Amino acid sequence: MLTLPPFTHHAPTSVDEALALLAQHKDALLIAGGTDLVPNMKHGLRSPAHLVSLRGLSSLAYTREENGEILLGATTLIQTLADDALVKKRLPALAEAAAQIAGPQLRRMGTLGGNLCLDTRCVYINQTHFWRRALGFCLKKDGTVCHVVKSGKRCVAAASNDTAPVLMTLGASVVLQSKHNVRRVPLTEFYVSDGIRNTVIGDDEILVEARIPAPRTGLCMAYEKLRQREAIDFPALGVAVTLSLDAQGLLETIRLAVTGLAARPQMVRCDDLAGRTVDEATAEAARHAFKQCHPLTNINIDPEWRREMIPIFVRRAIRRALSSPRR
Amino acid sequence: MATLFELTVNNERVQVAMSPQATLLEALRYGLSLTGSKQGCDKGDCGACTVLADGAPILSCITLAADAVGRRITTIEGLASPQGLDAVQEAFDVCGALQCGFCQSGMMVSARALLNVNSDPSLVEIKHALSGNLCRCTGYTKIFEAVQVAAGQRKPRLTGPPTLALPRKGGGE
Ligand SMILES: Cc1cc2nc3c(=O)[nH]c(=O)nc-3n(C[C@H](O)[C@H](O)[C@H](O)COP(=O)(O)OP(=O)(O)OC[C@H]3O[C@@H](n4cnc5c(N)ncnc54)[C@H](O)[C@@H]3O)c2cc1C
Ligand code: SF4
């Protein structure tokens, strides 16, 4: 039995009310589906004095296309992303990623906003307080050392959100709102390389929406996820790709992102691939990803094996993206 | 200091006094004595605590009681009716779809959620719908069979004597 630390629960019914609560209480956290936060609180990793629930904000549960952008509200359920007709048609890789998150119950609880703000994960941190104390605490919470990189001064717990790499390859941005301000941040700048806190969101801000430029005709996309079981598991590696071919069938554009390895989902640099044949570009993209990505022992799955799987999953993702029906 | 939560459980409005940080599972088990929902891992991994919220399967061990207010909660105790067991319960019984039985109520709630939206699921769909429920005895074969029996797709492989002396829909075998 794992008990929760004490907190005061607030159930605002509007975004403004929620923002006012965040502005008023310094030690407050948002709770949406709670599927990340509640286990973390049970493990003694978070102990906010106030919880501001987004459960009542049904106004943020939407998917729609408007002025050349696809807008996804923050409290949209993960299961909705997997099933929604607009998402499936326009952003099939996002629907694929959502359908592979956790298990059926968790997809009906978890939200897009919570997924994008998911805390980083590490085999040494997602444990009970008793377990962590027995080993000795680490940098991310209560300690001064890192058990993954022994001499490390920086936490390298893994970004593990499946939707993030897909949205990064689609050029998405997120809208962050506070009581006095609204700002729009490209997702590639939303994440930073710090496992203790890997996003730039402020304590008083709510991620209200993700905005994705409507994909142009001919843009292909796919998401491939490596995990031990076909359900429940977080990604041991996630690979997202979007690409397009020119009239001659040569590569025109490619964007590639990986997750599950380091503190932030990472874009793989693929600048030199335009104009190459599909076969050349696929092989080269796989080589780039292998060179640029370095799995660590932050999750309990052999890093050597995960590294070997990177080029395989990149090739698989590209092949599947190209074989999916053109829109 | 206790908080009074007003919940709707198995079609009844109930008030339950719990600590403010109680989970829905704790309110069900320790506040309302509905102990059919199991406290397994207690952190969202295993599915033994599965209940329906407005018809959708959720994990009650990581749902705050405070966040369950205003939702229609159905537990395993709410599946049966005065007329008898739910078809899913009957099928799990007849098929012997349990070993230690700890995962069973969560399995049956997930199966009910599936059959409510898909009355004739394929085996793949059944496996998918139960993929958030772990059975550590790994008795999955009979569990999948029971869901097929509940959907009226097949007869049980073995029909033993009924194991529960509860009233059966349609007067039993
Ligand atoms: C067993 C298990 C397996 C899982 N497997 C996966 C998996 O395979 N892939 C995966 O990606 N995830 C997985 N998850 C994690 C989680 O279920 C999902 O990421 C889910 O989408 C999180 O959303 P939530 O609404 O439940 O987040 P919450 O737990 O409510 O919130 C998570 C964090 O985000 C913050 N937050 C929430 N909403 C907002 C907002 N709108 N603005 C600003 N901050 C916000 C919260 O304060 C909190 O810090 C798993 C979880 C469990 C328990
Ligand atoms: S990467 Fe290091 S500091 Fe971060 S959670 Fe793991 S052990 Fe702790």
Side-chain angles (χ1 to χ4, degrees):
Chain A
M1 187 165 159
L2 297 165
T3 48
L4 286 166
F7 55 81
T8 304
H9 183 271
H10 305 268
T13 53
S14 70
V15 175
D16 286 344
E17 204 185 322
L19 290 170
L21 283 163
L22 286 186
Q24 184 188 341
H25 299 291
K26 285 295 149 246
D27 188 12
L29 278 179
L30 293 167
I31 178 165
T35 61
D36 180 45
L37 185 59
V38 174
N40 285 346
M41 287 174 66
K42 286 190 166 188
H43 282 164
L45 295 171
R46 311 302 297 263
S47 46
H50 298 269
L51 281 183
V52 177
S53 175
L54 300 180
R55 177 88 57 189
L57 303 194
S58 49
S59 62
L60 292 182
Y62 54 82
T63 66
R64 62 171 180 265
E65 185 158 358
E66 203 174 275
N67 304 327
E69 284 186 315
I70 294 167
L71 312 182
L72 306 174
T75 60
T76 305
L77 292 179
I78 297 298
Q79 188 65 39
T80 306
L81 295 178
D83 292 340
D84 184 75
L86 174 73
V87 178
K88 274 168 114 164
K89 177 156 181 278
R90 305 288 277 151
L91 312 170
L94 182 62
E96 280 169 15
Q100 294 178 76
I101 288 177
Q105 300 96 323
L106 290 158
R107 288 194 291 274
R108 288 165 176 85
M109 304 168 70
T111 63
L112 174 65
N115 191 253
L116 290 174
C117 298
L118 183 79
D119 204 348
T120 55
R121 300 189 59 85
C122 172
V123 64
Y124 299 106
I125 202 78
N126 298 111
Q127 306 286 357
T128 58
H129 186 267
F130 175 83
W131 191 103
R132 290 186 291 114
R133 192 183 52 199
L135 181 74
F137 296 117
C138 71
L139 283 173
K140 185 162 164 72
K141 177 75 179 147
D142 301 329
T144 53
V145 294
C146 173
H147 301 304
V148 172
V149 182
K150 298 287 180 219
S151 56
K153 289 281 161 283
R154 197 157 228 205
C155 169
V156 291
S160 305
N161 22 18
D162 284 299
T163 65
V166 177
L167 291 174
M168 281 165 65
T169 59
L170 287 163
S173 42
V174 285
V175 178
L176 308 179
Q177 193 174 342
S178 64
K179 193 171 172 197
H180 300 293
N181 191 29
V182 180
R183 59 184 179 133
R184 187 173 167 158
V185 181
L187 207 54
T188 46
E189 292 164 28
F190 181 67
Y191 295 107
V192 293
S193 295
D194 180 357
I196 294 179
R197 184 168 182 162
N198 78 339
T199 75
V200 298
I201 196 166
D203 290 339
D204 59 343
E205 286 180 317
I206 298 181
L207 190 164
V208 289
E209 172 177 88
R211 291 174 167 240
I212 302 110
R216 54 198 175 75
T217 321
L219 191 75
C220 309
M221 61 185 87
Y223 181 67
E224 287 286 339
K225 175 170 177 173
L226 173 69
R227 52 181 166 172
Q228 286 170 315
R229 299 177 288 198
E230 277 179 52
I232 307 179
D233 287 343
F234 282 90
L237 165 69
V239 175
V241 68
T242 63
L243 74 165
S244 61
L245 304 181
D246 65 17
Q248 282 76 50
L250 302 175
L251 189 96
E252 191 179 44
T253 61
I254 182 166
R255 283 170 70 87
L256 189 61
V258 295
T259 196
L261 305 179
R264 68 167 156 185
Q266 181 187 343
M267 292 296 295
V268 175
R269 289 181 308 280
C270 290
D271 311 325
D272 53 345
L273 301 186
R276 306 276 200 99
T277 66
V278 168
D279 284 350
E280 274 174 16
T282 306
E284 199 55 28
R287 269 195 290 275
H288 283 321
F290 184 77
K291 267 202 211 120
Q292 292 171 37
C293 301
H294 305 279
L296 300 162
T297 53
N298 49 9
I299 53 180
N300 208 3
I301 302 174
D302 183 9
E304 289 299 316
W305 179 63
R306 278 153 74 214
R307 184 147 194 239
E308 293 298 330
M309 292 308 276
I310 293 170
I312 295 171
F313 270 55
V314 169
R315 290 195 292 267
R316 239 183 236 181
I318 294 177
R319 231 176 287 132
R320 213 163 45 74
L322 287 170
S323 66
S324 59
R326 299 296 155 82
R327 278 155 307 110
Chain B
M1 206 184 59
T3 302
L4 203 57
F5 294 106
E6 251 192 59
L7 302 174
T8 305
V9 180
N10 300 332
N11 292 320
E12 252 182 80
R13 294 286 292 268
V14 290
Q15 292 192 329
V16 50
M18 299 293 297
S19 75
Q21 64 269 21
T23 62
L24 173 58
L25 180 64
E26 287 159 354
L28 294 171
R29 286 181 62 86
Y30 309 121
L32 298 168
S33 299
L34 294 172
T35 52
S37 307
K38 298 300 176 206
Q39 198 159 16
C41 69
D42 213 20
K43 50 178 171 162
D45 289 333
C46 79
C49 67
T50 303
V51 300
L52 304 181
D54 300 323
I58 62 156
L59 302 176
S60 59
C61 77
I62 54 170
T63 299
L64 303 180
D67 276 332
V69 172
R71 311 186 76 188
R72 255 182 325 107
I73 304 300
T74 308
T75 69
I76 185 68
E77 289 88 351
L79 287 200
S81 67
Q83 282 74 50
L85 293 179
D86 185 273
V88 171
Q89 293 172 304
E90 201 162 323
F92 270 68
D93 173 16
V94 171
C95 296
L98 75 155
Q99 288 181 38
C100 80
F102 201 81
C103 70
Q104 194 188 2
S105 41
M107 289 281 181
M108 291 193 288
V109 172
S110 285
R112 174 40 60 210
L114 167 69
L115 295 179
N116 282 349
V117 295
N118 180 355
S119 58
D120 190 21
S122 66
L123 182 58
V124 170
E125 287 169 332
I126 292 171
K127 288 185 177 176
H128 203 69
L130 298 186
S131 64
N133 294 81
L134 299 178
C135 168
R136 286 305 75 172
C137 312
T138 67
Y140 293 103
T141 307
K142 287 193 171 184
I143 290 169
F144 299 146
E145 178 190 323
V147 182
Q148 292 176 315
V149 169
Q153 295 171 340
R154 59 176 289 180
K155 295 241 170 305
R157 202 186 318 247
L158 292 170
T159 35
T163 52
L164 287 176
L166 288 172
R168 286 164 185 289
K169 256 189 210 142
E173 296 94 350

